[in-house]
Amino acid sequence: DGGITQSPKYLFRKEGQNVTLSCEQNLNHDAMYWYRQDPGQGLRLIYYSQIVNDFQKGDIAEGYSVSREKKESFPLTVTSAQKNPTAFYLCASSITWGETALHFGNGTRLTVT
Amino acid sequence: GQQLNQSPQSMFIQEGEDVSMNCTSSSIFNTWLWYKQDPGEGPVLLIALYKAGELTSNGRLTAQFGITRKDSFLNISASIPSDVGIYFCAGHAGGTSYGKLTFGQGTILTVHP
């Protein structure tokens, strides 16, 4: 079955440590996205990639970094510069950039103490 | 930036009741989408609307793209316990926001058997 796999499901880190969240898709989609979800808020866009080897900042990119070296993979690094990193992180993909129907992974819940 | 106001924030209903929720925006959107998120999972696309005035059904779900292009609603008829979850609206404005979705804050639905 095609889909988006995020790992791990739960992640715990100490403050000041960088942490990388994995996102892999086997849908052959060109575009990939990272969203952050906080209770009572809509999803907020962190970074997006229209195509392999390209990525752009979203609305809340500060304290995060990404890479897109392979079409299937779009890892997100939460750096120590992110002031409030504890959140639920969702990876998504779409067939092409501009296609509005996103397919989401099942998320990674990051807790930083 | 663009914002979507989704209401109500939460609903507690009895099994069998109909449900209605809506999203409004201060700006025009070219596409409206409705997603459902089960606890601890990623959102899943329910309905996509591409034309002002469009009314689309998916089983017990019906959604409409408002004539003004600034609102959309989702109705669920004869609710069942598995309808529990968070429902998000999302809009796509096009133009300089091409490819980016704006999400509402979500409606938390609880269905009592």
Side-chain angles (χ1 to χ4, degrees), chain A residues 6-24:
Chain A
Q6 289 187 244
S7 61
K9 182 70 173 173
Y10 300 95
L11 196 49
F12 298 88
R13 280 295 182 269
K14 293 290 186 187
E15 197 173 314
Q17 293 179 336
N18 292 354
V19 59
T20 297
L21 282 59
S22 169
C23 178
E24 302 280 331

Side-chain angles (χ1 to χ4, degrees), chain B residues 21-102:
Chain B
M21 59 191 79
N22 66 73
C23 266
T24 59
S25 169
S26 57
S27 53
I28 288 172
F29 285 97
N30 293 328
T31 302
W32 283 94
L33 304 107
W34 285 92
Y35 285 86
K36 182 194 176 197
Q37 184 178 29
D38 290 329
E41 307 284 325
V44 173
L45 181 65
L46 298 173
I47 292 178
L49 303 157
Y50 299 104
K51 204 160 97 171
E54 181 180 351
L55 185 72
T56 297
S57 293
N58 178 6
R60 294 179 295 105
L61 278 60
T62 301
Q64 184 157 30
F65 191 144
I67 289 291
T68 65
R69 293 164 64 192
K70 291 184 178 182
D71 62 348
S72 177
F73 73 75
L74 175 71
N75 284 346
I76 305 173
S77 62
S79 59
I80 59 178
S82 62
D83 290 334
V84 164
I86 305 176
Y87 291 79
F88 289 100
C89 61
H92 181 249
T96 56
S97 299
Y98 186 71
K100 295 186 192 176
L101 290 179
T102 300

